[in-house]
Amino acid sequence: MSNKTTILYVEDDPVNRLLVQRVLASEGYQMLEAEDGLSGLEVARQNHPDLILLDVNIPNMNGYAVSTRLKSLPETRDIPVIALTANVMEGDRSRALAAGCDGYIPKPIDVDSLPQQVAAFLKGKRESVEAVTKVQMLEEHTRRLVDSLEQTITELRDANDKLRRMEKAKADFIILASHELRTPLTVVYGYSRLLLSPTMQERMPPEVGMMLTKITEASDKLSNVVDAIVNVAVIDAKQLDLVFEQVDLGELALSIVEQFRPASQERGQQLQALNLSGFPTIHGDRNYLRRALSNVVSNAIKFTPDGGLIELWIEHTGDALDLVVRDTGIGIDRDQQDHIFDKFYVLENTALHSTSDTGFKGGGLGLGLSVVRGIVEAHGGKVFVESKGHDEANLPGSKFHLILPIHYVPPDLREKKK
Ligand code: ADP
């Protein structure tokens, strides 16, 4: 770090910046630059220069507002601020001084006298404005600030509305495109399943059967991806159309255990249903709840090495049921535990997926758990995970909780009831 006197020049015109920078650097000053009001403030706060040359007509926050702000911040209050403006409007000088500037240099800059002017301000020269004029100028300054505040808020509101419309259009597009993808996929999947029926298989050579199995598996995987994308888009757009009915959560969990049994057996894992019966039914959407629980169970299988144990049970707590899925897998770091429910959040380096000889941790899009959270929250519930941390050697495991209220009534039904 040098001990040179530092000058910050806030100016949007690059030609002017270059000129002043050359003139003052040749006088031995260290120059800092910013091209608009906000970044000028930022540079001033970070670098605490010895003097600030501030052009008044700069983007996003004009020089008067920047000066007022600089003088209100403890860390920049004492830095002399010199306004630079083309003297087009009557009263520019008093306006600048009223807004907190310590001096004024008219533009165009006279390169011959600039070094002396700057040196004088650095030595302590301060300009002032008559009290009466100052009051008038301050009133005007306040009015302009309020004007620009209103304009900024209006612009922000309009920009925000536009973003919302774009978000909605994006979600609609994703939903539409996914439906278009799903239709032919269903056909591929349906026909390949048909071809795989025993009577059909009898009529074809074994290698054709094997190829068909690959086609079926691939199209099944693809439809799951498409489903996950649709679900996320629908949840994002708050268009999740739940069909509420009485659902026996234990029965649903049992059927999921049966559905995933072959997958877990393939990995030598034990998938166990513990305490799942005798609980009250809950008010919910069976299909979406099935998807949520499937995602959690398939993750448990995916992130537990071969031979591990996965258990499901329900606990009745107050007015809610806590559906627990516990695995003996690789676990999740504590500081990641909230983030895994975010969209596109994948902990593993995707390059590492499926590289172990067990083939576990197969890659994913990072959508599964965000769908789980969206669905559970749409049921007035919440979801969280407990794990001692991520450790692929000691396998601390993870315990996912899906807490679902028993008597949830969604807001739109509440309205209808009134
Ligand atoms: P995906 O499985 O498609 O990667 P998810 O949203 O389902 O996406 O999960 C996000 C991340 O959370 C996963 O990539 C994984 O790192 C972590 N995770 C989820 N479930 C488990 C689990 N049972 N054990 C360990 N890590 C898990």
Side-chain angles (χ1 to χ4, degrees), residues 93-99 101 127-135 137:
R93 180 179 169 277
S94 345
R95 202 167 281 122
L97 298 178
C101 292
E127 294 180 26
S128 59
V129 62
E130 228 181 283
V132 185
T133 322
K134 184 168 181 175
V135 171
M137 289 299 170

Side-chain angles (χ1 to χ4, degrees), residues 299-300 302-303 327 330-332 340 345-348 364-370 398 400:
N299 275 346
K302 196 155 83 175
F303 296 101
D327 64 49
I330 55 179
I332 302 160
I340 57 169
Y345 198 85
V346 182
L347 287 178
E348 289 301 318
L365 286 177
L367 293 179
L369 288 178
S370 89
S398 309
F400 281 80

Side-chain angles (χ1 to χ4, degrees), residues 182-402:
R182 192 151 41 181
T183 315
L185 261 176
T186 316
V187 177
V188 174
Y189 183 74
Y191 278 113
S192 49
R193 293 282 309 186
L194 270 180
L195 286 170
L196 276 175
S197 65
T199 43
M200 288 297 219
Q201 286 218 41
E202 275 166 17
R203 289 195 254 156
M204 61 178 85
E207 63 270 27
V208 175
M210 199 261 300
M211 290 175 198
L212 272 174
T213 309
K214 295 263 180 245
I215 294 176
T216 318
E217 280 170 6
S219 57
D220 189 35
K221 220 173 187 171
L222 207 52
S223 10
N224 281 333
V225 171
V226 173
D227 278 354
I229 295 174
V230 174
N231 280 322
V232 166
V234 164
I235 287 166
D236 263 4
K238 304 214 175 345
Q239 290 175 4
L240 203 61
D241 204 5
L242 300 182
V243 181
F244 278 84
E245 57 183 319
Q246 288 305 318
V247 181
D248 184 332
L249 214 51
E251 213 174 87
L252 187 81
L254 263 179
S255 79
I256 287 168
V257 166
E258 288 320 313
Q259 181 193 333
F260 280 94
R261 195 170 303 288
S264 66
Q265 273 169 353
E266 221 170 83
R267 304 273 313 283
Q269 294 166 337
Q270 278 189 66
L271 181 56
Q272 284 188 355
L274 300 179
N275 194 14
L276 288 177
S277 47
F279 295 99
T281 55
I282 70 157
H283 196 216
D285 181 303
R286 188 185 307 277
N287 289 330
Y288 277 112
L289 288 172
R290 167 178 288 282
R291 162 141 308 257
L293 187 53
S294 301
N295 286 358
V296 176
V297 173
S298 78
N299 275 346
I301 294 175
K302 196 155 83 175
F303 296 101
T304 302
D306 291 13
L309 170 67
I310 295 147
E311 294 166 312
L312 272 83
W313 70 89
I314 292 178
E315 285 171 28
H316 190 163
T317 49
D319 202 21
L321 297 185
D322 180 3
L323 182 48
V324 186
V325 179
R326 181 168 66 190
D327 64 49
T328 55
I330 55 179
I332 302 160
D333 276 339
R334 284 180 201 273
D335 56 352
Q336 310 283 353
Q337 290 177 9
D338 286 336
H339 303 301
I340 57 169
F341 298 98
D342 294 343
K343 247 188 311 183
F344 312 123
Y345 198 85
V346 182
L347 287 178
E348 289 301 318
N349 175 352
T350 42
L352 297 176
H353 279 174
S354 308
T355 50
S356 78
D357 54 0
T358 57
F360 76 97
K361 299 188 294 174
L365 286 177
L367 293 179
L369 288 178
S370 89
V371 169
V372 174
R373 182 173 63 186
I375 294 174
V376 171
E377 286 180 356
H379 282 83
K382 51 180 201 221
V383 44
F384 65 95
V385 64
E386 290 176 276
S387 174
K388 291 205 179 90
H390 178 100
D391 184 343
E392 301 198 9
N394 296 308
L395 304 172
S398 309
K399 197 170 164 194
F400 281 80
H401 295 263
L402 277 63

